[in-house]
Amino acid sequence: MKSSVAPDAGTAGRHVSLALFALATGGFAIGTTEFVTMGLLPQIADGVHISIPTAGHVISAYALGVVVGAPVIAALGARTGRKRLLLGLMAVFVIGNVLSAVASSYEFLLVARFLSGLPHGAFFGIGAVVGASMVAPDRRARAVSMTMVGLPVANIIGVPATTLLGQRLGWQVPFLAVGVLGLLTLVAVWFWVPPQPVGSDVNVRSELSALARPQVWMALLVGMVGFGGMFATYSYITPTMTELAGFSESAVTIVLGVYGVGMTAGTVLGGRLADRWLMGSVYGGLVAVAVVLGTFGWLAQTRPGALIGVFAMGCSASILVPALQTRLMDVAHEGQSLAASLNHSTLNIANALGAWLGGVVLAAGYGYEWPSRLGAALAVAGLILAAISGLMERRGSTQVLA
């Protein structure tokens, strides 16, 4: 199915590249604030007088905001023009990060991080719909990948830079810096993203109609299970690198940078592949994830092998993101914004699921090479679900759940 907002000559002439850059800038800001907290937990714990394990709840509060905000905002904002909604989401994002910077208590910080996470999924989901609407049908997935490329780039540049700022100047400074990035994004969206009016037939009910389509649920399950495998490994990447590969703790930042480069390459490549063969890129991405994770425990025994494995893990998993996002937009019909936003909710669920399952494996006494092997099994499970979804489609299963 094509995007619900057909591209025309007027839209094509409005500097599509600048509009996509504006959306990518928002993704960069979101990715920075999401991951910088993990590197500043000791400083945050000292700043609000709590233990480091308790400070971990700040990360959970943000993730909860993502899970809750994505579907609620996408559905309730159905009648709002998409550009106006993007501006509102970025305004909330700025407020949440500024409040995080001025928080003086643990409870206040929890609320501020929850508020910061609310726009996350909806911004990416609605941004993907907007990006796809501005280009020809055979370039939709590529446009979707460009709206999302800011997230992996944040892992290369934004997170290390703001982590250093936080360590040198205080944990509040990164949140202020992200707030400034959010303001820049707001201005860029205002000037560069063309108006995105919604049709008279778009409303809360039409968005919710996506939830009655089996293929939407299948696509969400593929993402949740398939990405759960990657997160089962990545959640324990620091001890894996120090225990198996022999890296020092300080060198792990380089490893994480390599992962970010892999994510960026995979996101760009994934958009190009998905435009050529959408479901084929889903199948191929899951096969690649399974192979990479299946061999990761062996590769991580040496430093060069570990770097290759980390790059391949980031690249293979990220190939899936534009394909799944575009797939959800196709099978959701009238509920594109909701379905695309839900993709980011399920990825956060995959994060929690993968981290928990990886912890179960380690708690059972297995070594750090085993979470990736569990992850390979989850990727295979995701591939099976994707194959079932493809089979349903070939048999003409377009029915709506009663």
Side-chain angles (χ1 to χ4, degrees), residues 57-358:
H57 298 161
V58 172
I59 299 173
S60 300
Y62 182 92
L64 181 61
V66 178
V67 173
V68 172
V72 171
I73 295 171
L76 295 183
R79 291 297 305 146
T80 305
R82 291 186 178 120
K83 177 177 178 177
R84 185 180 300 176
L85 189 53
L86 288 170
L87 291 170
L89 289 169
M90 196 46 57
V92 172
F93 177 79
V94 170
I95 292 170
N97 279 279
V98 171
L99 290 177
S100 299
V102 300
S104 58
S105 70
Y106 168 63
E107 294 78 13
F108 191 98
L109 183 58
L110 277 182
V111 174
R113 296 315 293 158
F114 176 82
L115 182 63
S116 301
L118 284 175
H120 178 128
F123 185 89
F124 278 119
I126 295 164
V129 175
V130 170
S133 76
M134 293 188 294
V135 298
D138 62 348
R139 297 177 64 87
R140 290 181 311 130
R142 195 175 306 183
V144 168
S145 71
M146 290 299 98
T147 67
M148 304 176 70
V149 76
L151 184 62
V153 172
N155 282 274
I156 306 173
I157 303 172
V159 175
T162 51
T163 298
L164 184 61
L165 279 176
Q167 291 171 343
R168 298 281 180 86
L169 304 177
W171 63 268
Q172 300 94 334
V173 174
F175 295 127
L176 285 175
V178 168
V180 172
L181 283 173
L183 282 174
L184 292 175
T185 300
L186 199 152
V187 172
V189 169
W190 177 273
F191 284 105
W192 291 339
V193 174
Q196 294 284 325
V198 296
S200 58
D201 58 338
V202 177
N203 51 47
V204 175
R205 184 175 181 179
S206 67
E207 287 292 342
L208 291 176
S209 69
L211 301 180
R213 299 187 178 278
Q215 288 286 16
V216 169
W217 290 105
M218 290 298 296
L220 291 172
L221 278 173
V222 169
M224 184 172 66
V225 176
F227 276 92
M230 188 276 292
F231 284 119
T233 306
Y234 186 69
S235 298
Y236 302 96
I237 194 67
T238 296
T240 300
M241 292 297 100
T242 56
E243 295 291 330
L244 290 185
F247 284 103
S248 65
E249 288 191 4
S250 60
V252 172
T253 56
I254 298 174
V255 175
L256 298 181
V258 170
Y259 179 80
V261 173
M263 286 179 67
T264 305
T267 301
V268 174
L269 177 62
R272 294 177 179 273
L273 292 175
D275 275 330
R276 292 177 177 271
W277 185 19
L278 184 57
M279 284 304 293
S281 62
V282 173
Y283 300 143
L286 287 165
V287 169
V289 171
V291 171
V292 170
L293 293 182
T295 58
F296 187 79
W298 171 72
L299 287 171
Q301 301 291 334
T302 66
R303 293 180 185 179
L307 292 176
I308 293 171
V310 166
F311 175 87
M313 181 169 64
C315 185
S316 59
S318 296
I319 286 174
L320 281 168
V321 178
L324 284 174
Q325 191 82 308
T326 307
R327 170 71 173 169
L328 276 165
M329 289 159 56
D330 283 351
V331 299
H333 297 270
E334 298 84 2
Q336 288 189 6
S337 295
L338 175 61
S341 300
L342 277 171
N343 189 35
H344 298 276
S345 290
T346 54
L347 291 181
N348 274 268
I349 294 173
N351 192 344
L353 173 68
W356 175 70
L357 289 174

